[in-house]
Amino acid sequence: DTEVTQTPKHLVMGMTNKKSLKCEQHMGHRAMYWYKQKAKKPPELMFVYSYEKLSINESVPSRFSPECPNSSLLNLHLHALQPEDSALYLCASSPTEGLSYGYTFGSGTRLTVV
Amino acid sequence: GQQVMQIPQYQHVQEGEDFTTYCNSSTTLSNIQWYKQRPGGHPVFLIQLVKSGEVKKQKRLTFQFGEAKKNSSLHITATQTTDVGTYFCAGTRTGNQFYFGTGTSLTVIP
């Protein structure tokens, strides 16, 4: 299995809703990442988990809450989002955190906040 | 994150023409990676360059890392419609993270 699987593929949520994005990989990768991508822009790093511990938080608002229950799973909990949070949310993984490997990206969750 | 600029932002070419995108940083990069994102798709890793002056080829794609490790280029020979997409470089200056460049969107006209 050489894939990163993200669910759901599309999500529409109201500003008062609570929802979660899920990401799963079975490649034995120990680093997992959340990126946010707006239309016609590059992906922006949000969070990095290394060996299931939060390694980097790129000053992301607290309405985004990451969780890494085990080495294969990564969640992003969403609460009280704003319309400007609408974007493509990408999960990625790599064998370890660091500079030696390319990242494998999932196909993303396209989020619309109404 | 750091700013890694790419030029051009957009490029339209006739099928069969060559294409080059350039990635520039004001500071020395430790490594650089290249990704391709098809319209409506997700980034796909193409290659990583580490050494000063390094050149790598993948079929019609040629990747180069500058001698000063501040710039990189991706050249596609004889473009095909399957080459359509946005090409991102991703570089790191310090720390363990890559930050994506601004991207070059390639359109190939049949």
Side-chain angles (χ1 to χ4, degrees), chain B residues 85-98:
Chain B
T86 300
Y87 292 84
F88 292 102
C89 63
T92 184
R93 183 178 57 202
T94 59
N96 278 341
Q97 298 310 317
F98 283 96

Side-chain angles (χ1 to χ4, degrees), chain A residues 4-54:
Chain A
V4 174
T5 303
Q6 288 187 246
T7 56
K9 292 193 183 306
H10 300 273
L11 178 63
V12 179
M13 62 184 289
M15 289 187 284
T16 58
N17 291 160
K18 286 184 180 181
K19 296 287 185 183
S20 296
L21 309 185
K22 296 185 183 303
C23 174
E24 189 169 4
Q25 58 87 14
H26 295 286
M27 295 178 280
H29 288 179
R30 302 314 298 269
M32 297 184 76
Y33 311 83
W34 280 114
Y35 282 84
K36 173 183 176 180
Q37 187 176 29
K38 302 283 270 185
K40 299 188 185 301
K41 296 292 185 183
E44 295 178 7
L45 182 65
M46 300 175 71
F47 301 105
V48 179
Y49 272 83
S50 178
Y51 289 86
E52 297 143 59
K53 294 190 187 305
L54 183 64

Side-chain angles (χ1 to χ4, degrees), chain A residues 33-106:
Chain A
Y33 311 83
W34 280 114
Y35 282 84
K36 173 183 176 180
Q37 187 176 29
K38 302 283 270 185
K40 299 188 185 301
K41 296 292 185 183
E44 295 178 7
L45 182 65
M46 300 175 71
F47 301 105
V48 179
Y49 272 83
S50 178
Y51 289 86
E52 297 143 59
K53 294 190 187 305
L54 183 64
S55 173
I56 291 179
N57 176 341
E58 289 283 345
S59 303
V60 178
S62 59
R63 58 185 184 270
F64 295 91
S65 175
E67 178 195 21
C68 190
N70 60 55
S71 60
S72 299
L73 294 174
L74 186 66
N75 298 323
L76 186 62
H77 302 298
L78 314 172
H79 173 55
L81 295 194
Q82 303 296 311
E84 57 264 31
D85 296 322
S86 298
L88 179 67
Y89 287 84
L90 293 161
C91 175
S93 71
S94 62
T96 59
E97 184 184 6
L99 311 179
S100 300
Y101 306 98
Y103 295 174
T104 302
F105 280 85

Side-chain angles (χ1 to χ4, degrees), chain B residues 1-91:
Chain B
Q2 64 181 63
Q3 280 288 324
V4 179
M5 304 303 294
Q6 283 183 251
I7 54 171
Q9 187 176 0
Y10 300 96
Q11 183 79 63
H12 292 68
V13 299
Q14 289 288 142
E15 189 172 16
E17 290 182 340
D18 292 357
F19 159 77
T20 304
T21 173
Y22 300 90
C23 179
N24 298 299
S25 171
S26 57
T27 57
T28 301
L29 301 170
S30 303
N31 305 39
I32 197 154
Q33 295 183 346
W34 284 92
Y35 290 80
K36 175 184 178 181
Q37 185 171 19
R38 293 179 185 272
H42 58 277
V44 174
F45 174 71
L46 296 176
I47 209 158
Q48 175 164 279
L49 304 172
V50 177
K51 299 176 183 176
S52 169
E54 188 170 15
V55 178
K56 289 188 176 180
K57 293 189 176 185
Q58 290 180 349
K59 297 183 180 178
R60 295 178 294 105
L61 277 61
T62 301
F63 304 84
Q64 189 163 2
F65 204 5
E67 293 289 342
K69 300 183 77 173
K70 289 185 176 181
N71 53 69
S72 181
S73 64
L74 159 59
H75 179 81
I76 302 179
T77 303
T79 53
Q80 301 175 357
T81 54
T82 53
D83 295 325
V84 165
T86 300
Y87 292 84
F88 292 102
C89 63

